[in-house]
Structure formats: C-alpha cells, structure tokens
C-alpha cells in the first residue's frame, strides 16, 4: 500500500474516532477494552500519536518512552486529540522518503513503517470508540484489514517478545474469504514464523471476511470461523496481546 493510502486512512479514522468519542461521551465504557472509559481511549491514542510524531518530525534514531498521559478532560481532551492527530498527519505528509528514524520491526522504509503503524493504531481505536456508543461499529475497509493482518502476523509477532508459543510445532492457516489473502503461521517454542500464502497441513484454520478476521486477531471480536484444533485459537486469545 502507498504511503498516501495509509495517511488517507489515518486521516479518516482519526476523524471518526473523535466523532464517536464525542457522541459516546467520555464517561462511557469501552466494551472492547475492558476497564477503560472513552477518555482513557482518547488519551492513549493522543499519546501514541504524539510519540510517533516525534520520531517522524525530529528524525529520532533511538527509542524514547511515551510521555505520561495528560490530565485534560472534556472538550479540551477532544480538542487536544484532534490537534495531535493533525500534527501526526502533517509530519507524515511533509516527511521525505529518505527519512531516517527509529522503528520497531522491518518495513520498506521508516516513513512507510510509521504511516502504516499509525493508520492501524488509529483504525483499531476508532473501532473501540465506535463500540462505546452502542449499535454496530462501522466495518474496517477490506484492503486495510488485509494489510493490518499482515502487519500483525509478520511484524508484531515476528519479534522475539511474542508470547504465542507451543511446546510442539503447530501450523495455523489464516484465510480471508473475501479478499484472496492468506498466511501460514508456524508455532513452536520460539517466536512465531509467518509467511504469506498457505503451505503445509494446518492444525487449525482461522477464516472469515478480512474486516472481521482483522478485528478478531486483535482480540476485538470472536473469530468468524475456526476449523480444526480450536485450542490454538484459544491460545491466540490468551497470549497474543501486544506488550
């Protein structure tokens, strides 16, 4: 996906997040993030946006902790979120392709990494905000969902810190039923290894429309369909949270 496509999704999803948060009310509980109210969700996403902006705008080449979340509330908090979201968009859109800055897993370029990561960060939390106002949250774009599944499997869970592990080798197929995309996830006592496409005999198949499968893999909704050893789907639920 082109960087301009990522920033387009980031723009849209950030605006929708703010609208959903405003409509739900900052006191509303977030069903997809147990223990959080909408204000916690907005503060968290605003903090991540500003953290990412620093790497892109200043070309920071070493990791830095996120600043402590501020104490803003009410209308001021939503105004602050919108300002930070706009600043992130501006930083990404004005950055040069040669940008050199810190990232935390492989990507075609640092600029591509941050545009992609923040598009998905914002999309997932827009879904969370949508869930807080009741009704059925707006679906995730299918093309973006496929890209997000790929980022999660090959990026996040390609790192040594992934806790999705099994004592004996196991194979999971992840299959979108509407977008023609699939992955093979090999589990063992080491970090998972994901590859695009299907290979080998699976112990479990996780399948469904890309939008629903994306949300399920991020533990927001149940898996649309599980075939084979359902214990591997349960293992994913129990151990795949990003830390």
């Amino acid at each position: 996906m082109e960087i301009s496509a990522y920033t387009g999704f980031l723009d849209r999803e950030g605006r929708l997040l703010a609208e959903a948060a405003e409509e739900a009310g900052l006191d509303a509980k977030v069903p997809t993030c147990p223990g959080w109210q909408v204000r916690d969700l907005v503060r968290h996403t605003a903090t991540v946006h500003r953290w990412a902006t620093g790497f892109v705008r200043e070309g920071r080449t070493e990791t830095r902790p996120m600043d402590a979340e501020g104490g803003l509330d009410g209308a001021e908090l939503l105004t602050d979120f919108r300002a930070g979201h706009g600043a992130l968009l501006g930083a990404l859109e004005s950055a040069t392709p040669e940008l050199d800055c810190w990232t935390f897993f492989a990507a075609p370029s640092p600029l591509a990494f941050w545009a992609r990561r923040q598009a998905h960060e914002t999309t997932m939390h827009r879904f969370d905000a949508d869930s807080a106002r009741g009704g059925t949250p707006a679906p995730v774009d299918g093309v973006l969902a496929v890209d997000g599944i790929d980022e999660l499997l090959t990026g996040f869970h390609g790192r040594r810190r992934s806790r999705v592990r099994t004592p004996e080798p196991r194979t999971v197929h992840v299959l979108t039923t509407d977008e023609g995309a699939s992955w093979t996830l090999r589990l063992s006592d080491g970090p998972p290894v994901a590859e695009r496409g299907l290979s080998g005999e699976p112990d479990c198949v996780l399948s469904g429309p890309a939008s629903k499968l994306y949300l399920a893999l991020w533990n927001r909704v149940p898996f649309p369909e599980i075939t084979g050893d359902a214990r591997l789907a349960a293992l994913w639920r129990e151990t795949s949270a990003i830390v």
Side-chain angles (χ1 to χ4, degrees), residues 8-235:
F9 283 120
L10 171 60
D11 186 9
R12 184 188 73 183
E13 297 289 326
R15 292 175 189 274
L16 291 174
L17 191 162
E19 291 171 8
E22 197 164 32
E23 183 177 330
L26 297 178
D27 292 332
K29 294 182 179 180
V30 183
T32 50
C33 299
W36 273 19
Q37 293 178 301
V38 169
R39 63 171 47 82
D40 302 309
L41 178 68
V42 174
R43 285 174 182 160
H44 166 78
T45 312
T47 298
V48 173
H49 283 177
R50 287 195 163 85
W51 180 69
T53 300
F55 292 108
V56 176
R57 178 173 288 166
E58 300 172 22
R60 298 174 182 170
T61 56
E62 296 182 357
T63 185
R64 288 184 59 174
M66 294 187 197
D67 294 333
E69 296 179 6
L72 294 177
D73 208 346
E76 288 186 337
L77 175 57
L78 289 169
T79 298
D80 179 71
F81 170 83
R82 288 181 167 112
H85 173 241
L88 174 60
L89 271 170
L92 290 167
E93 290 172 345
S94 63
T96 66
E98 294 76 30
L99 171 71
D100 181 25
C101 67
W102 178 81
T103 62
F104 51 91
F105 51 76
S109 70
L111 180 57
F113 171 88
W114 285 109
R116 182 191 207 192
R117 177 80 291 278
Q118 292 310 300
H120 290 297
E121 177 83 12
T122 307
T123 297
M124 194 57 58
H125 290 319
R126 186 276 300 165
F127 182 87
D128 294 331
D130 252 356
S131 74
R133 63 178 173 180
T136 302
V140 176
D141 178 271
V143 172
L144 182 66
V146 167
D147 185 81
I149 295 170
D150 190 78
E151 184 204 42
L152 180 63
L153 297 182
T154 67
F156 275 108
H157 286 286
R159 301 183 299 170
R160 295 195 62 80
R161 65 174 62 189
S162 175
R163 297 179 297 116
V164 184
R165 303 186 182 210
T166 54
E168 302 294 332
R170 293 290 184 269
T171 299
V172 177
H173 284 175
V174 178
L175 172 66
T176 67
T177 55
D178 58 346
E179 295 287 344
S182 59
W183 298 261
T184 298
L185 186 65
R186 303 190 189 282
L187 305 179
S188 68
D189 60 359
V193 176
E195 60 187 54
R196 298 177 185 100
L198 303 180
S199 64
E201 189 67 25
D203 298 289
C204 178
V205 179
L206 305 175
S207 60
S211 177
K212 292 182 179 180
L213 198 54
Y214 171 64
L215 293 167
L217 288 164
W218 275 103
N219 298 320
R220 263 44 181 203
V221 301
F223 282 109
E225 185 173 352
I226 303 168
T227 306
D229 190 351
R231 292 175 298 177
L232 294 174
L235 174 73

